[in-house]
């Protein structure tokens, strides 16, 4: 089983709509969780960390479900500029190092 | 406010040539990483350095070597480039701690003919 699994999509979203997607992780001992955004041919950039209680940053909401081992990202009122690939990232914290496991990403296309 | 700086940004090599990709960070981070990203494969870890003076293999280390020159700099060397190493290479750094995210450079696009 892969460490982090995501449905690649694409997720075609009308402008102004809400889109949500999940990713699952395999290591129940994973310590920390992040969502990164990657634009085409650019570097991944941190979108937000995901906390146990869930957290919100503007139009973006992240949730963590440790029992079912998944994290989610919800984007409200989608903008054209939200078109990107969203990478689910998990720190399995193996042997005390800070190695991260990356999903392959959810591709979001916001349509006018 | 540079963050993580990678050089060069683009490079074309012939099979068998060698080259070194440079990475420097100005965030006083202890840990540094090298990834490659290929279409449909996601990010794969090549090597990482948890702290100055240490390096460890990641998921795909074959054909690469690294040097942690000092706390700021972490270089990746291809001794004898092969077409299978055509990829986009990203360097990243992070502070110590399991809740610390990684910060990426803007990548090196490498083509090997």
């Amino acid at each position: 089983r892969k460490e982090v699994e995501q449905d690649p999509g694409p997720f075609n979203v009308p402008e102004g709509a809400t889109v949500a997607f999940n990713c699952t992780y395999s290591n129940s001992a994973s310590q920390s969780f992040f969502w990164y955004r990657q634009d085409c041919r650019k570097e991944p950039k941190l979108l937000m960390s995901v906390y146990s209680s869930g957290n919100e940053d503007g139009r973006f909401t992240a949730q963590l479900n440790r029992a079912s081992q998944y994290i989610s990202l919800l984007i409200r009122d989608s903008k054209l500029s939200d078109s990107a690939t969203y990478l689910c990232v998990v720190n399995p914290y193996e042997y005390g190092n800070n190695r991260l496991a990356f999903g392959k990403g959810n591709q979001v296309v916001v349509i006018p | 406010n540079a963050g993580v700086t990678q050089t060069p940004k683009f490079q074309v090599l012939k099979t068998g040539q060698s080259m070194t990709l440079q990475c420097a960070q100005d965030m006083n981070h202890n840990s540094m990483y090298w990834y490659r990203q290929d279409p449909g494969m996601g990010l794969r870890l090549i090597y990482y350095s948890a702290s100055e003076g240490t390096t460890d293999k990641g998921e795909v280390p074959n054909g690469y070597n690294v040097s942690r020159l000092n706390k700021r700099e972490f270089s990746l060397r291809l001794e004898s480039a092969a077409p299978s190493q055509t990829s986009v290479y990203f360097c990243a750094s992070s502070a110590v701690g399991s809740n610390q995210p990684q910060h990426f450079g803007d990548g090196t696009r490498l083509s090997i003919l």
Side-chain angles (χ1 to χ4, degrees):
Chain A
R1 185 180 172 187
K2 294 179 181 176
E3 285 185 297
V4 180
E5 296 204 55
Q6 294 182 257
D7 176 359
F11 295 78
N12 295 316
V13 185
E15 191 175 7
T18 296
V19 61
F21 32 83
N22 297 337
C23 90
T24 57
Y25 60 94
S26 60
N27 186 342
S28 61
S30 296
Q31 298 269 322
S32 51
F33 310 87
F34 310 94
W35 283 104
Y36 277 71
R37 171 191 170 129
Q38 187 172 25
D39 293 291
C40 186
R41 299 179 65 78
K42 299 283 190 179
E43 75 274 22
K45 292 183 178 179
L46 179 67
L47 179 67
M48 57 199 304
S49 300
V50 186
Y51 303 120
S52 296
S53 56
N55 48 301
E56 188 174 306
D57 183 1
R59 298 181 292 106
F60 297 84
T61 300
Q63 297 280 350
L64 168 63
N65 185 318
R66 284 193 181 271
S68 300
Q69 293 181 214
Y70 74 85
I71 67 174
S72 64
L73 180 67
L74 182 145
I75 307 174
R76 288 183 300 278
D77 187 23
S78 297
K79 312 291 185 191
L80 295 176
S81 58
D82 294 334
S83 296
T85 297
Y86 292 85
L87 305 177
C88 174
V89 183
V90 175
N91 184 340
Y93 204 59
E94 297 170 334
Y95 311 114
N97 66 53
N98 200 31
R99 184 183 70 82
L100 296 180
F102 288 81
K104 294 184 180 180
N106 300 112
Q107 184 185 4
V108 172
V109 179
V110 181
I111 303 165
Chain B
N1 198 16
V4 180
T5 303
Q6 291 184 235
T7 55
K9 294 201 181 331
F10 302 93
Q11 185 71 47
V12 179
L13 292 178
K14 294 181 180 178
T15 298
Q17 287 186 312
S18 61
M19 81 161 293
T20 300
L21 279 61
Q22 307 287 353
C23 175
Q25 53 91 11
D26 62 3
M27 295 177 282
N28 201 34
H29 286 165
N30 283 326
S31 302
M32 297 185 73
Y33 312 82
W34 276 105
Y35 294 90
R36 61 178 289 175
Q37 188 173 37
D38 303 294
M41 298 295 293
L43 282 160
R44 292 186 290 172
L45 183 65
I46 304 171
Y47 270 94
Y48 66 98
S49 171
S51 61
E52 187 179 355
T54 68
T55 61
D56 287 286
K57 295 179 180 179
E59 184 183 354
V60 288
N62 292 343
Y64 305 94
N65 286 303
V66 290
S67 295
R68 184 74 183 267
L69 304 171
N70 47 55
K71 190 172 185 178
R72 289 188 64 248
E73 298 173 287
F74 188 37
S75 63
L76 178 71
R77 183 161 178 83
L78 287 70
E79 291 291 351
S80 178
S84 61
Q85 294 177 305
T86 293
S87 189
V88 181
Y89 291 84
F90 290 106
C91 177
S93 70
S94 71
V96 174
S98 63
N99 63 343
Q100 296 298 316
Q102 293 177 13
H103 302 269
F104 286 80
D106 57 6
T108 295
R109 283 151 185 79
L110 182 61
S111 292
I112 299 162
L113 307 177

